Amino acid sequence: MPAFPTAARRALDDAQLRRNLHHATHTIRAKRARAVAEVDQWERLRSNGAAIKDHTLTHLDTYLTQLEESLTRAGASVHWARDAEEANRIVTGLVRATGTDEVVKVKSMATQEIELNQALEQAGIRAWETDLAELIVQLGHDQPSHILVPAIHRNRAEIREIFLREMGQVGVGAPADLTSEPARLAEAARGHLREKFLRAKVAVCGANFAVAQTGTLVVVESEGNGRMCLTLPETLIAVVGIEKVVPTFADLDVFLQLLPRSSTGERMNPYTSMWTGVTPGDGPQAVHVVLLDNGRTDALADDLGRQALRCIRCSACLNVCPVYERVGGHAYGSVYPGPIGAVLNPLIRGTTSAVDRALPSASSLCGACFDACPVRIEIPDLLVRLRTRVVDEKRGGLPTPEALAMKATAWTLASPARLEGAQRVSALAGRALRGRERIGRLPGPLAAWSDARDAPVPAPETFRSWWKRERGER
Amino acid sequence: MRVALFATCYNDTVWPQTPQAVVTVLERLGCTVEFPLGQTCCGQMLTNTGYGREALPLVERFADVFEGYDAVVAPSGSCVGSVRHQHATVARRCGQHALAERATARARTVFELSEFLVDVLGVTDVGAAFPHRVTYHPTCHSLRMLGVGDRPLRLLRAVRGIDLVELPAAEECCGFGGTFAVKNAAVSVAMGADKARHVRETGAEVLVAGDNSCLAHIGGLLGRQRAGVRVMHLAEVLAATEEVAA
């Protein structure tokens, strides 16, 4: 996977992708704006959401212990996973113990993050995604491109082709006369999935929220496929990031208002499923909850970065981001794309890889993401903070060309005399180029600017020198 | 009122006509303008690229140079945003807590031009005349970091002879973003191309904004397209009078 600038440049060349992304993000952006405008005290709701999350994160140890007790009391088994490998080992072991070789899956970011499907496949267990968009991505041997709309980069014609080509290979095939009408595509998916729902003994899900007080897990979704997985199988395995805990049932009131409006632009999401442990004779009779760290405590240890753990995965920041809109999710090299991905990934994965080091710079710092964030994560500030971290980690070694340029700039700007010296050179160039309105091509590293943009001609006289001439030294 | 002008390093060097226009407008409105010669740069480019440590001397210089002024005015929403929202943080992160407090105090006296005219001087009609078809781009840092709202538009609407037309998708970023324009040049240009297209759709002769950096980016694209649209800083439109326009 190349780092963002290279991956983004490739994505920009795909005209169809850009059209799909533009259409989808603008549609959902407008819908969200309408749904948010309906709420009188939206700003207060945002602040409440942020405050609840901050309080929980500050006392995370207490609430996680309470959650474990509540879950156990309600008949669920709790497992702790330090990282992806441990979580995958636990889930694989639990599935194997049931004697089955397949699971149905509720759309879950946590299991995408730990690449559970691949781990299960290596263990000979097939995992079937049941969320419509995740199904499209899985059947297309593809990666999700968006948190909420994983197949945002695909259009209807492409989806029809994928269904016709792939469904029959792994189960009930698509009807031969399938058209690209949404209703027909949904019907084909329903036929394909029904067989899997009715056969599966084990389901794997995540959770949008986990209530410490009661041990209740919450999944919100639009299609009802999740609810099929949460009710039909005998065994349910939930992989839950430790930041998903909220203290009380009453706290859900705030988040169940914030999430659907920010995410799908709806007042209320169509399906909200809540379950508390095991109820004899009703639903799964074995419930396992894997509480996942996988770098979250590293983010928690960062005094500014910990606010990224407030994220409720609504994807509002993706939909308003002008960078995401042009390049889509794959360029971010992670299941968490867009502005939140650009901060969350380096926080939880660290900045050792080239991909993670480039992510904080994948933004123009326009600030639209902060305005849209329902829990007020100050993404632009975090991006600057992470850029600083990337720079600081490189100090002491051989300086990069960028570091040399920045240090030279800092040295020049540190005194008015040095700045004037540099300005004399610039004014000289300005005088030499007098009469021309713009410069076409620049040499060296500045060519990245002038490949597509004219550069301004520097002024023949600086303001400073004009002021001294006109007004004297004072 | 005694006002200090913070020209900003790039306006000082590349677009001196912009701070000159600020002087013209402020003096026309009865202000006494001073230009402290010790000023250089707010350090935003360094801070935003991750070189906060290198920006620290500039934060200190800014706090020193502009000490004692009731108001500091700058023709850049972006640089004012940096002074207001980043200077204290940069100082604090470098362990300079006394400087952080001075920077916080200084930040309260620093205004972007439209804020200063509308909020401090209480003026929207600055006596300008500019008989041209104009469209206005609200730059991200003015719009979102400072929250200048419709102040620039109120100032422009009061300009005599102006034909102010609305810019489609005005609040979307133009793609400049400081070093983003070079580090992710392809994405930056893709964003700017859409902005330039919207500008052309308006049929405006002149694109106006409160930040010459964004204008250099959009203007650079318009120039390469030979679009025939001029870019101008808000201050220059506000400084224009009937004599100049004629």
Side-chain angles (χ1 to χ4, degrees):
Chain A
M1 181 78 208
F4 186 84
T6 308
R9 210 166 353 172
R10 272 183 215 161
L12 281 166
D13 289 337
D14 186 340
Q16 181 67 50
L17 172 74
R18 282 178 70 181
R19 269 195 299 276
N20 295 352
L21 284 166
H22 178 88
H23 176 74
T25 55
H26 280 253
T27 305
I28 198 161
R29 199 187 286 186
K31 213 174 149 198
R32 175 201 159 270
R34 279 195 300 275
V36 163
E38 285 180 353
V39 182
D40 283 341
Q41 305 228 357
W42 180 254
E43 288 306 317
R44 211 169 106 187
L45 204 59
R46 280 177 88 201
S47 300
N48 286 351
I52 294 169
K53 282 282 183 180
D54 278 354
H55 168 82
T56 316
L57 291 166
T58 313
H59 305 282
L60 194 58
D61 50 347
T62 309
Y63 288 116
L64 285 174
T65 314
Q66 196 189 355
L67 177 67
E68 181 177 34
E69 284 164 10
S70 306
L71 281 166
T72 311
R73 202 167 46 236
S77 308
V78 176
H79 313 261
W80 297 87
R82 219 168 276 118
D83 53 24
E85 198 201 329
E86 196 172 359
N88 287 333
R89 198 165 58 236
I90 292 167
V91 177
T92 308
L94 290 168
V95 177
R96 273 202 181 126
T98 66
T100 187
D101 63 355
E102 67 171 359
V103 301
V104 284
K105 281 191 70 206
V106 184
K107 178 181 172 347
S108 143
M109 295 307 296
T111 59
Q112 291 273 11
E113 176 190 322
I114 60 174
E115 301 187 334
L116 176 66
N117 290 10
Q118 290 88 322
L120 289 173
E121 195 183 318
Q122 277 176 11
I125 300 162
R126 286 162 302 161
W128 309 117
E129 294 290 348
T130 66
D131 173 85
L132 180 55
E134 290 287 0
L135 175 71
I136 295 164
V137 169
Q138 187 177 40
L139 289 173
H141 311 285
D142 200 358
Q143 292 294 317
S145 176
H146 189 283
I147 292 174
L148 170 72
V149 203
I152 194 170
H153 55 301
R154 297 289 199 186
N155 62 27
R156 283 187 275 151
E158 291 174 287
I159 294 166
R160 173 181 170 271
E161 277 174 41
I162 292 170
F163 279 9
L164 280 172
R165 193 177 63 232
E166 303 286 342
M167 272 182 173
Q169 316 227 3
V170 289
V172 174
D177 62 347
L178 183 66
T179 67
S180 56
E181 265 176 85
R184 294 294 312 280
L185 294 172
E187 191 188 340
R190 187 176 294 134
H192 179 79
L193 288 171
R194 177 145 305 176
E195 181 212 24
K196 305 216 181 294
F197 288 138
L198 294 175
R199 195 177 60 211
K201 299 255 182 292
V202 178
V204 176
C205 66
N208 292 94
F209 307 99
V211 182
Q213 181 192 36
T214 56
T216 305
L217 299 182
V218 185
V219 163
V220 299
E221 46 142 357
S222 296
E223 296 162 3
N225 290 339
R227 183 166 293 176
M228 299 284 275
C229 301
L230 298 171
T231 47
L232 286 171
E234 293 161 11
T235 300
L236 180 61
I237 304 167
V239 180
V240 182
I242 54 173
E243 84 286 13
K244 293 287 179 184
V245 65
V246 294
T248 71
F249 206 83
D251 294 323
L252 293 176
D253 172 33
V254 172
F255 295 109
L256 292 181
Q257 293 181 70
L258 285 172
L259 182 54
R261 284 180 199 267
S262 303
S263 180
T264 49
E266 293 166 305
R267 294 173 182 145
M268 195 179 172
N269 49 285
Y271 292 85
T272 302
S273 302
M274 304 191 188
W275 71 103
T276 308
V278 174
T279 305
D282 182 16
Q285 294 302 293
V287 172
H288 296 273
V289 180
V290 182
L291 292 171
L292 175 74
D293 180 345
N294 203 33
R296 284 159 177 75
T297 47
D298 293 335
L300 195 65
D302 187 305
D303 57 351
L304 195 66
R306 75 174 55 130
Q307 60 176 302
L309 296 180
R310 289 181 201 153
C311 177
I312 55 173
R313 313 287 190 259
C314 72
S315 68
C317 64
L318 276 62
N319 299 326
V320 297
C321 178
V323 176
Y324 177 87
E325 180 193 325
R326 266 78 185 184
V327 303
H330 294 161
Y332 293 81
S334 151
V335 296
Y336 303 115
I340 188 63
V343 295
L344 199 55
N345 291 310
L347 280 167
I348 66 177
R349 300 196 299 210
T351 42
T352 48
S353 76
V355 168
D356 289 316
R357 277 198 301 275
L359 284 177
S361 295
S363 164
S364 66
L365 302 180
C366 84
C369 48
F370 169 72
D371 283 0
C373 178
V375 285
R376 297 181 58 88
I377 301 170
E378 297 192 14
I379 296 174
D381 286 352
L382 292 186
L383 289 166
V384 171
R385 164 97 167 116
L386 285 162
R387 290 177 187 186
T388 309
R389 176 165 148 187
V390 169
V391 168
D392 285 347
E393 280 169 355
K394 289 222 160 195
R395 284 181 197 272
L398 211 58
T400 60
E402 176 189 284
L404 288 174
M406 289 294 157
K407 280 176 208 292
T409 306
W411 182 85
T412 308
L413 294 169
S415 97
R418 287 179 208 152
L419 174 59
E420 277 186 77
Q423 285 179 332
R424 268 193 290 277
V425 179
S426 156
L428 212 63
R431 280 194 287 276
L433 293 163
R434 186 175 277 180
R436 285 171 62 174
E437 280 193 4
R438 304 201 151 263
I439 306 171
R441 300 268 186 244
L442 291 167
L446 292 174
W449 175 280
S450 64
D451 273 352
R453 292 163 284 209
D454 287 349
V457 177
E461 184 182 30
T462 64
F463 175 79
R464 185 178 300 268
S465 126
W466 173 84
W467 179 273
K468 282 194 207 165
R469 185 160 57 73
E470 291 281 320
R471 309 288 174 104
E473 289 284 327
R474 170 78 220 162
Chain B
M1 186 184 260
R2 191 165 151 260
V3 180
L5 168 66
F6 173 42
T8 76
C9 64
Y10 69 99
N11 280 317
D12 181 3
T13 310
V14 186
W15 294 283
Q17 67 274 23
T18 297
Q20 280 168 16
V22 176
V23 175
T24 305
V25 173
L26 293 180
E27 289 184 345
R28 191 196 293 154
L29 296 170
C31 296
T32 305
V33 182
E34 291 183 23
F35 178 74
L37 287 163
Q39 66 178 281
T40 57
C41 166
C42 67
Q44 180 183 202
M45 184 182 77
L46 297 167
T47 307
N48 279 353
T49 313
Y51 295 81
R53 223 181 275 180
E54 281 75 8
L56 184 69
L58 301 179
V59 171
E60 188 165 13
R61 171 167 290 279
F62 191 93
D64 291 344
V65 167
F66 292 102
E67 183 137 28
Y69 288 99
D70 304 331
V72 181
V73 179
S76 162
S78 194
C79 302
V80 171
S82 178
V83 171
R84 209 178 279 173
H85 295 291
Q86 294 183 323
H87 274 196
T89 309
V90 168
R92 213 172 300 118
R93 293 231 162 258
C94 294
Q96 306 278 325
H97 296 281
L99 177 59
E101 282 189 22
R102 282 208 297 141
T104 305
R106 195 69 62 253
R108 286 192 209 103
T109 64
V110 181
F111 299 92
E112 182 272 339
L113 178 65
S114 74
E115 290 178 329
F116 182 75
L117 295 174
V118 175
D119 297 350
V120 182
L121 296 185
V123 179
T124 46
D125 184 347
V126 299
F130 194 71
H132 296 284
R133 192 177 174 89
V134 166
T135 194
Y136 172 76
H137 167 61
T139 61
C140 296
H141 287 176
S142 293
L143 186 73
R144 284 182 275 265
M145 218 172 178
L146 300 181
V148 301
D150 67 346
R151 289 175 186 82
L153 286 169
R154 279 154 69 191
L155 291 160
L156 285 172
R157 280 190 209 113
V159 171
R160 269 166 282 290
I162 201 166
D163 175 13
L164 191 62
V165 288
E166 200 179 322
L167 179 67
E171 297 192 353
E172 280 179 31
C173 179
C174 70
F176 171 64
T179 44
F180 177 76
V182 175
K183 283 190 167 189
N184 282 289
V187 189
S188 169
V189 167
M191 289 160 69
D194 287 339
K195 181 63 74 177
R197 182 168 47 80
H198 290 310
V199 171
R200 295 177 77 159
E201 278 166 17
T202 65
E205 302 159 63
V206 184
L207 170 69
V208 172
D211 266 296
N212 274 326
S213 47
C214 307
L215 285 176
H217 169 66
I218 310 168
L221 285 158
L222 288 166
R224 188 60 59 88
Q225 296 169 0
R226 305 272 173 265
V229 183
R230 272 192 298 156
V231 298
M232 252 173 111
H233 193 282
L234 174 69
E236 291 163 46
V237 175
L238 299 181
T241 55
E242 265 146 37
E243 301 85 77
V244 176

